[in-house]
Amino acid sequence: MKMLSIQSAVAYGHVGNSAAVFPLQRIGVEVLPVYTVNFSNHTGYGAWRGPLIDPADVREVITGIEERGVLPQIDAVLSGYQGGEGIGDVIIDAVARVKAANPGAVYACDPVMGNAKSGCFVAPAIPELLRDRVVPVADIITPNQFELGYLTRTEPSTLEETLASVDAARAMGPSVVLVTSVERPDREEGTIEMLAVDDKGAWLVATPHLPMKANGSGDVTAALFTAHYVATHDAEVALERTVSSVFDLLKATLESGERELQLVESQEYYANPRMQFTAQRVR
């Protein structure tokens, strides 16, 4: 499998491509990483250095890849956090070029906007760009519950409301939706859930809620789920594998006492997930 991943990069820590690439490589995916920023560290520290890469330069890199004749071999395009407005057009164009070269390729979009606790943390124009232009051309999207609500102009809380919001999102274009950080009122105490929906059904997985905030965990989740779904075309299997791997990564990070994901130390969890969580069919 080959994946074109258009995301941010940091030298220190693990977010964007600096979170997604290694886990994908560890499960045997050939990744072509294209960087949208090249920062010293993620912006959650409040201070960082390095350039936001001009969308024209990002497009040049993708054109160079195209000139090598690689696009017919690309199975999936993956995108995450979009720092500025111009990058959306570059991603949409790249997806169109890849699909023209390989009609079987899929586009997975992680529509990063924010979360329930901190609200939106992206540039004001980005949420509308994602909702109106990017998500409609995606095959797979991986929003959290807050982002799902924004995309569909709903406020999902219960499982039924979340499923209805997923249906609204799927009506926009994507056939596969992974909802991370599902926090329904009637879930078992001390748990957090993840929901995956495709044409075959809907599946829910609950894991213990770990008391931590881990930048980059969503990027790893989107990458692994995309790879597993492209490989199996089975949302239930992709969900179980992804949740099992990411939970162990987060647990290892929490136990380390470090702020940054213990991405390299946890590598065995990607290649051989312990499959400690089972998905429950909810539709």
Side-chain angles (χ1 to χ4, degrees), residues 42-56:
H42 70 69
T43 58
Y45 286 96
W48 65 94
R49 293 177 184 269
L52 189 68
I53 297 171
D54 190 287

Side-chain angles (χ1 to χ4, degrees), residues 128-157:
E128 280 186 38
L129 170 77
L130 286 167
R131 182 176 63 203
D132 300 338
R133 300 197 48 224
V134 182
V135 167
V137 301
D139 301 288
I140 300 170
I141 58 170
T142 60
N144 59 36
Q145 198 172 20
F146 169 84
E147 291 159 343
L148 175 68
Y150 183 90
L151 290 172
T152 56
R153 296 180 170 91
T154 60
E155 294 184 11
S157 176

Side-chain angles (χ1 to χ4, degrees), residues 54 98 275:
D54 190 287
V98 168
M275 304 306 288

Side-chain angles (χ1 to χ4, degrees), residues 1-258:
M1 187 190 306
K2 280 191 172 70
M3 193 179 296
L4 178 67
S5 182
I6 308 169
Q7 299 198 61
S8 59
V10 293
Y12 172 71
H14 302 290
V15 298
N17 267 334
S18 303
V21 172
F22 177 64
L24 288 171
Q25 290 171 331
R26 189 66 181 80
I27 62 172
V29 178
E30 180 72 52
V31 188
L32 287 70
V34 175
Y35 302 136
T36 55
V37 309
N38 189 11
F39 287 167
S40 54
N41 51 272
H42 70 69
T43 58
Y45 286 96
W48 65 94
R49 293 177 184 269
L52 189 68
I53 297 171
D54 190 287
D57 291 330
V58 179
R59 192 186 298 267
E60 277 289 287
V61 172
I62 295 167
T63 299
I65 294 169
E66 184 177 37
E67 289 169 350
R68 301 286 72 76
V70 181
L71 297 196
Q73 301 167 30
I74 301 289
D75 301 291
V77 179
L78 175 65
S79 73
Y81 169 76
Q82 298 187 18
E85 293 176 57
I87 200 65
D89 291 325
V90 175
I91 292 167
I92 292 167
D93 180 57
V95 169
R97 292 198 215 181
V98 168
K99 289 194 169 194
N102 177 14
V106 302
Y107 169 39
C109 170
D110 185 6
V112 179
M113 288 182 251
N115 55 57
K117 290 187 179 68
S118 58
C120 269
F121 51 61
V122 295
I126 298 296
E128 280 186 38
L129 170 77
L130 286 167
R131 182 176 63 203
D132 300 338
R133 300 197 48 224
V134 182
V135 167
V137 301
D139 301 288
I140 300 170
I141 58 170
T142 60
N144 59 36
Q145 198 172 20
F146 169 84
E147 291 159 343
L148 175 68
Y150 183 90
L151 290 172
T152 56
R153 296 180 170 91
T154 60
E155 294 184 11
S157 176
T158 66
L159 179 59
E160 291 70 28
E161 289 168 350
T162 305
L163 285 166
S165 297
V166 167
D167 290 341
R170 293 180 75 228
M172 295 165 67
S175 57
V176 183
V177 178
L178 175 72
V179 188
T180 62
S181 305
V182 175
E183 300 187 54
R184 59 190 173 113
D186 56 341
R187 72 188 185 280
E188 190 180 332
E189 192 175 344
T191 66
I192 192 162
E193 296 170 324
M194 209 177 284
L195 174 72
V197 183
D198 69 359
D199 291 338
K200 297 173 191 166
W203 290 268
L204 191 71
V205 168
T207 71
H209 187 270
L210 298 172
M212 63 187 295
K213 179 179 182 289
N215 293 87
S217 57
D219 302 322
V220 176
T221 301
L224 289 176
F225 181 81
T226 298
H228 289 312
Y229 191 84
V230 170
T232 64
H233 298 287
D234 188 320
E236 180 183 14
V237 170
L239 177 64
E240 289 177 344
R241 288 181 183 173
T242 301
V243 168
S244 296
S245 295
V246 172
F247 179 80
D248 276 341
L249 165 64
L250 291 175
K251 191 161 177 283
T253 301
L254 179 63
E255 290 169 353
S256 76
E258 296 287 334

